[in-house]
Amino acid sequence: MPPRSEDPRRDATGSRRGSSRGGEPREPGVGGISDARAYTPRGRTIREGGAAARTGAGAEQRRTPRSNRSGDPFRPALQVLDGGRAGAARAGRRESAAGGRAGVVRTVSARPAREPFDDDDAPPPRRRPGPRRPARPAAARRPSRKPPRPPKLADPRRRLRLGTLLALALFTTIGIRLVALQTVNTPAYADGGLNSRLAVVELPAPRGAIYDRTGAPLAHSVEARYVFADPTRVKDRLTTAKLLSPLLGVPASELADRMKPRKLPTGVPSQFEYLARGVDIDKAKQIMALDLVGINVHRDERREVPGGDLAANLIGFVSQDMVGLEGLEAKYDDLLEGKPGKKRYEIGQGDLAAPIPGGYSETTPAKPGGSLQLTVDRDLQFQAQRILSSRMAQTRGSVGAAVIMDVPTGEVLAQASYPGYNAAAPQKVASPRDREDAATSFIVDPGSIHKAITYGAALQEGVITPDTAFPVANTITLGGVPFSDTHPANGRTMSIPGMLAFSSNIGTIKIAEKLGKERLIDYQKRFGLGQATGEGMPGEAPGRLLPADQWSGSSYGSVPIGHSVDATPLQMAAAYNAIANNGTYVQPHLIRNVISPDGKKTTPAKPVTRSVLSPANAAALRTMLEAVTTVDGPDGRATGLAAAVPGYRVAGKTGTGLRYDNGKRQPGDVASFIGMAPAEKPRYVVAVFVWSPGGEGGALAAPAFRDMMGFTLRHYRVPPSATDRSPKFEVFPR
């Protein structure tokens, strides 16, 4: 097929359509639309092709740099946009190049003509319309070079695999972590988020009360308030202190000092300082009404002791934090102490810091402490303390103790100590020893009250009988130590009741020689000496017995009459209670019931009991002990006449012992009297001990016993004894 340029379309005038305007001649190389149509794949017009053919058709032509490009079917349209100048410009450049490089001409063989839209060659690059730069002279053109070979890159497939592995590892780790968070750690994270919006309010648990045997409170807790200051917020300390002082009863200077800014051991400024504890609710309301900056109140608990010093040495006291420090408060702190509860609920933030309706709420109820019901009778305790204090007021620097026991049960009805103190203000004492319970901590040589144990053992072992009598000398020396009587018998025959009435040391030593030290020690233990009674008081002293292998020559004289023996007033009271209880020892105890928070009463384990004397021997010993309070005749006066209770038969024994403190003998004597009434069928045992550095105790113990026993018998409405049936004792039988 001939080229389209060889058969041009012409108009009516015979010229090609669009080759020129108005038939004007045109400059070669500048064409119009006809030139675009006459474009050949070589980038030349038909006109140029014809000229070339005329100049040498079939001759070799110069190869242009673009001669190897394939044809572009859209090249004519691009030529039109370029204004038809591309072919002429290229032709001009080729001609100038040919003229300038005559000696370096490469020729190629003629190629057959191609169709304008032949796709064998690549299309020439698209050019932007516009003025062209002048052609560079042929001599200045450098030969074309091969572009540098690009550096060899890494294998992309390997990088793809590595990236894939890293991505899979990352997503696997994230997936495992998400599973762990959603399954394993869900509760922890849920609680962590919850805690940030929870409010916690402590629900206080009141401490248990201590009651007497009738249910009257001896110590109990009441709701109160504590007042505290935030020193970082208090603006005027002095003014604030002056306003609070009359309400709190604390000096203004002390309050101002407490409100001083101070740092905690961690270096953080303190934002909480107590100003007062246990403040009445009414006063707390008055303080809040003052609206003082940095001053606030909170719920508190105050321990109240209605009786003040009533049974204070027994009950003890607590700290401001309701922790038992002494007495029964300390011994039974785990029982009395309550367990506070908590209320946790969800609140809003900022101005909406209020409980969220329907939000999270959890309440742990507070558990109030248990209570104790003592065997102590409040009225009897009051009278025992009053009587002891009034008698002890006649001495200086003295110590006294009194114990009242119920015979069949071993319950302690009263246990008084002198000096006493107010349990509501335990710090206001001359010495911490003033707060001790003398009945369980006061260790003495019991003296002659121990003789009842010696005589009881001799009766039980058959060494003596109620009718035994023998001559008694005025003195005896054992181990180089002389022993004598305060009522000399001058060698006359003395009866057993007479020996008890006049407290004969010599007669008692003689009986103990027949009994033997091993059997005497055995009966001391049976009567409860040498070990703590377990009454319930903390820190009870066990006392001490002299072992048989440590006896010296003088021990055969001192031990039977109550020396070289350490005992407490309570131990000796329990021993006499065994005599009153038909020879059966009953462990003394203070706790009658344990009351749970719901009011249920639990009785503690039954007290320890054991038989010491037979009922007959116990009754015989009681009868002989009546001589101590009744013998008054030409032969002398018994040592315990001052202990007699009008209208009642009383059996008992006086004693004069010694006091040792840290192994050192203290000045003065320990006077004592222990008795029981009614003697024919004892109901109560009363023991009174008085130590006085000046030795005045001998005149105090027996009268104090009389007053206490008389009140006890009347208080419990015990019928009077038939005094006309009291035995008549003969001290020196003929």
Side-chain angles (χ1 to χ4, degrees), residues 32-173:
I33 189 66
S34 60
D35 294 332
R37 292 178 177 175
Y39 172 77
T40 65
R42 289 294 196 181
R44 300 175 181 175
T45 61
I46 298 300
R47 192 179 298 116
E48 292 174 347
R54 287 191 300 267
T55 56
E60 294 183 357
Q61 297 180 1
R62 187 182 306 273
R63 179 180 297 179
T64 62
R66 301 181 182 271
S67 62
N68 59 348
R69 299 196 178 190
S70 60
D72 185 0
F74 300 99
R75 185 72 181 190
L78 297 175
Q79 185 68 21
V80 172
L81 295 175
D82 196 29
R85 299 185 181 90
R90 282 194 299 269
R93 284 197 298 267
R94 281 194 299 269
E95 289 174 358
S96 60
R101 290 187 300 174
V104 195
V105 177
R106 290 187 299 173
T107 58
V108 294
S109 57
R111 295 183 180 180
R114 297 188 181 185
E115 292 296 328
F117 298 100
D118 195 345
D119 295 332
D120 291 342
D121 294 335
R126 182 177 180 180
R127 297 180 180 274
R128 295 180 180 179
R132 296 178 178 270
R133 289 182 299 179
R136 185 179 296 178
R141 297 185 65 182
R142 295 181 181 180
S144 62
R145 294 182 180 179
K146 238 179 177 180
R149 189 173 183 179
K152 187 175 181 180
L153 301 177
D155 189 354
R157 289 174 298 179
R158 184 177 301 173
R159 288 183 295 175
L160 181 61
R161 293 193 197 100
L162 180 59
T164 303
L165 289 176
L166 291 176
L168 289 175
L170 177 62
F171 283 107
T172 301
T173 303

Side-chain angles (χ1 to χ4, degrees), residues 104 157 198 250 278 282 389 441 449 603 642 697:
V104 195
R157 289 174 298 179
L198 284 183
V250 181
D282 292 339
S389 298
S441 63
I449 56 176
T603 303

Side-chain angles (χ1 to χ4, degrees), residues 248-524:
L248 299 179
V250 181
S253 59
E254 183 177 345
L255 292 175
D257 183 67
R258 295 180 186 178
M259 288 185 280
K260 281 184 179 179
R262 53 177 54 88
K263 291 187 177 180
L264 300 175
T266 57
V268 179
S270 173
Q271 295 181 335
F272 183 93
E273 294 293 335
Y274 279 117
L275 298 182
R277 300 290 302 272
V279 179
D280 290 337
I281 297 178
D282 292 339
K283 290 186 177 180
K285 291 180 179 179
Q286 296 179 32
I287 292 173
M288 292 303 297
L290 295 176
D291 196 18
L292 301 174
V293 178
I295 305 299
N296 210 334
V297 301
H298 201 272
R299 183 170 180 175
D300 197 10
E301 184 179 355
R302 183 177 69 247
R303 197 67 167 171
E304 282 195 351
V305 185
D309 64 345
L310 183 66
N313 299 75
L314 284 178
I315 297 171
F317 59 93
V318 299
S319 67
Q320 290 185 338
D321 296 323
M322 294 293 123
V323 177
L325 298 180
E326 287 188 11
L328 296 175
E329 294 275 21
K331 177 69 177 292
Y332 296 94
D333 185 62
D334 293 340
L335 171 68
L336 296 169
E337 182 184 19
K339 295 182 179 180
K342 286 185 179 180
K343 182 178 181 180
R344 304 171 66 206
Y345 56 92
E346 198 172 0
I347 62 172
Q349 301 295 325
D351 296 337
L352 299 178
I356 298 177
Y360 174 84
S361 179
E362 180 184 18
T363 301
T364 303
K367 295 182 179 180
S371 300
L372 290 176
Q373 184 178 22
L374 305 184
T375 60
V376 173
D377 186 317
R378 180 181 60 174
D379 296 336
L380 194 59
Q381 177 73 26
F382 173 79
Q383 287 295 333
Q385 288 186 208
R386 184 190 64 80
I387 294 169
L388 183 64
S389 298
S390 62
R391 295 290 180 179
M392 297 295 292
Q394 303 174 24
T395 65
R396 292 183 179 181
S398 56
V399 176
V403 178
I404 303 177
M405 290 183 63
D406 182 72
V407 171
T409 63
E411 293 180 344
V412 177
L413 302 177
Q415 189 164 304
S417 299
Y418 181 89
Y421 73 99
N422 186 349
Q427 69 280 1
K428 297 180 180 180
V429 292
S431 170
R433 301 190 68 171
D434 294 346
R435 297 194 296 257
E436 295 179 355
D437 174 53
T440 57
S441 63
F442 189 44
I443 300 177
V444 300
D445 274 0
S448 294
I449 56 176
H450 181 274
K451 292 175 182 176
I453 296 176
T454 304
Y455 284 88
L459 281 171
Q460 188 68 22
E461 294 298 320
V463 173
I464 63 173
T465 66
D467 299 327
T468 299
F470 55 86
V472 177
N474 291 339
T475 61
I476 187 174
T477 302
L478 297 173
V481 177
F483 296 89
S484 60
D485 285 341
T486 56
H487 292 76
N490 298 320
R492 290 181 294 174
T493 300
M494 183 176 281
S495 65
I496 300 299
M499 295 178 190
L500 289 170
F502 293 162
S503 193
S504 174
N505 292 331
I506 305 303
T508 305
I509 293 172
K510 287 295 183 180
I511 294 175
E513 286 179 351
K514 297 178 181 180
L515 181 63
K517 62 179 180 180
E518 286 79 7
R519 286 191 291 182
L520 178 58
I521 293 174
D522 180 51
Y523 276 89
Q524 285 177 326

